[in-house]
Structure formats: C-alpha cells, structure tokens
Amino acid sequence: MPEFGDSISKAQKDYRVNIRDSHRSDKIKKASHNHPIADQRHVAKKAQQRYFEKSVENVSMDIIEYKSEMTSFEFKILDTMGYLQSITIRKDEITCSSPGCTKKCHHLVWIFHKIFKMEKSCPLIYQRNFTNADWGKITDAFPERVPTTDISNYMPKNQVFKVGVKKTEKTAKCASCKTSLSLGDIQASTEGPYRTLHLNWIKRVFYFCPRTECISKLPRNTFIKTFEDGVPVLYDTDLTYEQKCLL
C-alpha cells in the first residue's frame, strides 16, 4: 500500500493540482484590495482625447470679448479659420454660432482647456450640459482675469463706409464675395483691424462691392463693424444718383 505522501504527490501530478501558498485564493483577494482600479468615469474616452489632439492641441484662437456670470459664460472668439464665433456656456446647454458645432464643438473644448485650464483627460470639456457638481467645478475653475486680444489700436474712432469710383489700376477683391474690383468700378471701403497669416494684427483697408449684402457681412480674420451694426455710408460727390442707388 503506498504511503499517504506518495498518494498526494501522485494526485497532484495526475490532475495538475497546484496547492502552493502563493496561489491561494484568499491571498489573491487580499492583494486586490491593496491595488484599487482607477474610476474610468472620471477620465475622458480615448476617442474624445484623440479629438482633442486633432482639433484643439496647439491651436491658436483670439478671444475678443467675454462676459462671466454665475449662470453663464459668454465668449466672442476669432477661430483658426478667421470666423467670429459666439460661444455661451450654461449649466443646461452649450451654444456655438458655428454651423459645424451641432454635435462636437472644438471652440468649447479649446475654451475649457485654455481659459478654465482643464486637461484633455477631463470629461467635462466634452459635455454639452452639466450636473450641479459639474457646474460648481466649472465656476471654481474660471480665472479672475481672461487674457483678450487688444485690437483697440487698430479700430478707427468713427468707422464709415466710403463709396466711390475706383481710381487705381491695382486690382482688389471684395472682402465678402471675392469679386474682382477694377479701375472705374464702383466700390465701398472701410478701415479696421485684420489678423494676418502670421497671427499678427494690423490696420488695413477692406474693399467691397457696392451692395448691401456685401457690406453687411463680416469678412474673415477681422472684427470690423458692418453696415448692419449701424456704420454710416458716405458717397463721393462725383457719383450720380443712379450710382448711389447701387447700394
């Protein structure tokens, strides 16, 4: 009859039983409590972080104006494409004037990152509405001062649209519809701030077709006032009544 120890060894070998102390189930459970798993609810999804890297990281925009209250934050920014956008952040909703920001809004994510100093891994910056706890974090993160782009030196004191006959041979394009304006054409012009390709601000003259539709539209990369903002129109004395009626 085999010894008891031999029987145990044979059973371990036949059925591959592992009874080493280091593999005891009670030790595994105890070890798991010493290394808690991170709560994934407080970390943005990988797809959201990839969106951040593609659309927000190393992106430059200009904050022109802002307004902060306990119930809302409002921003006017010139985005990377040179369009003026209005973004409003409220507890129950986010609004952006860009037609492309119906589902995702990189302007919003950029503001949360640059102004509120939230990292790309923070899920709050991708949300479109917030809980009371979330809103408390947002209001606490808002800084005392927001750096804005000062364009006051490039804004004329009394902006006007001047309408007259083009007297130079240098061609120009309408800042709104891009129609070429040549010598002898009727044109409207005004002066104001312009952001160059190198993201520098200068004062320049904008030329337009003599149409209400063109002078009522804000050109890209600028913050001039349009005809719809109440800017007056001055006509050259050389223009005929019919020419003045073009506008």
Side-chain angles (χ1 to χ4, degrees):
M1 182 175 180
E3 296 291 335
F4 179 75
D6 295 337
S7 299
I8 294 296
S9 301
K10 188 174 185 302
Q12 292 178 10
K13 183 177 181 180
D14 292 343
Y15 298 100
R16 298 179 182 177
V17 177
N18 192 337
I19 57 171
R20 290 187 300 170
D21 287 348
S22 60
H23 287 265
R24 282 166 42 190
S25 61
D26 59 334
K27 283 195 173 184
I28 295 175
K29 291 180 180 179
K30 185 176 180 180
S32 64
H33 291 295
N34 295 331
H35 303 282
I37 300 175
D39 191 348
Q40 297 299 320
R41 293 175 299 176
H42 300 298
V43 179
K45 298 178 181 178
K46 291 183 178 180
Q48 292 173 326
Q49 297 192 47
R50 286 196 297 268
Y51 175 76
F52 179 96
E53 294 168 358
K54 179 181 178 181
S55 304
V56 176
E57 200 167 47
N58 299 322
V59 167
S60 296
M61 301 189 200
D62 287 294
I63 301 175
I64 306 298
E65 296 177 356
Y66 76 94
K67 180 181 179 182
S68 62
E69 298 177 350
M70 290 301 295
T71 57
S72 65
F73 300 95
E74 300 176 13
F75 299 89
K76 283 189 176 181
I77 65 173
L78 272 179
D79 63 13
T80 53
M81 298 299 293
Y83 292 109
L84 182 68
Q85 308 293 358
S86 298
I87 298 94
T88 302
I89 304 173
R90 295 189 180 91
K91 175 179 172 292
D92 298 325
E93 65 172 348
I94 300 293
T95 59
C96 179
S97 59
S98 174
C101 291
T102 54
K103 294 183 179 180
K104 295 180 180 180
C105 180
H106 64 284
H107 305 110
L108 169 68
V109 179
W110 185 88
I111 287 173
F112 272 138
H113 177 60
K114 291 293 184 180
I115 306 304
F116 293 82
K117 303 301 181 184
M118 296 182 178
E119 298 298 327
K120 70 176 182 180
S121 59
C122 178
L124 280 183
I125 68 178
Y126 307 100
Q127 296 177 195
R128 303 303 293 260
N129 51 66
F130 310 96
T131 64
N132 289 332
D134 293 339
W135 188 250
K137 294 178 182 178
I138 292 172
T139 55
D140 290 342
F142 189 75
E144 294 183 0
R145 179 181 175 275
V146 175
T148 58
T149 300
D150 184 10
I151 57 175
S152 58
N153 294 332
Y154 312 108
M155 293 288 292
K157 293 182 179 179
N158 298 303
Q159 183 187 333
V160 297
F161 283 100
K162 297 179 180 179
V163 180
V165 177
K166 185 173 177 58
K167 299 178 180 179
T168 60
E169 294 185 358
K170 185 178 180 180
T171 58
K173 287 186 177 181
C174 174
S176 294
C177 69
K178 306 305 179 184
T179 299
S180 295
L181 301 169
S182 304
L183 179 66
D185 290 342
I186 307 297
Q187 67 179 14
S189 63
T190 191
E191 193 176 44
Y194 175 75
R195 187 177 66 182
T196 67
L197 292 175
H198 300 289
L199 305 181
N200 298 319
W201 285 88
I202 61 173
K203 182 186 287 187
R204 61 161 285 186
V205 177
F206 297 88
Y207 297 97
F208 300 86
C209 296
R211 299 189 306 157
T212 303
E213 294 83 356
C214 287
I215 65 174
S216 297
K217 184 179 179 181
L218 183 69
R220 292 167 61 178
N221 290 305
T222 186
F223 193 55
I224 64 170
K225 294 180 180 179
T226 65
F227 179 68
E228 288 186 345
D229 296 325
V231 178
V233 179
L234 300 179
Y235 296 92
D236 279 355
T237 56
D238 297 338
L239 295 179
T240 64
Y241 175 78
E242 290 76 13
Q243 289 173 326
K244 292 179 181 180
C245 290
L246 291 174
L247 189 61

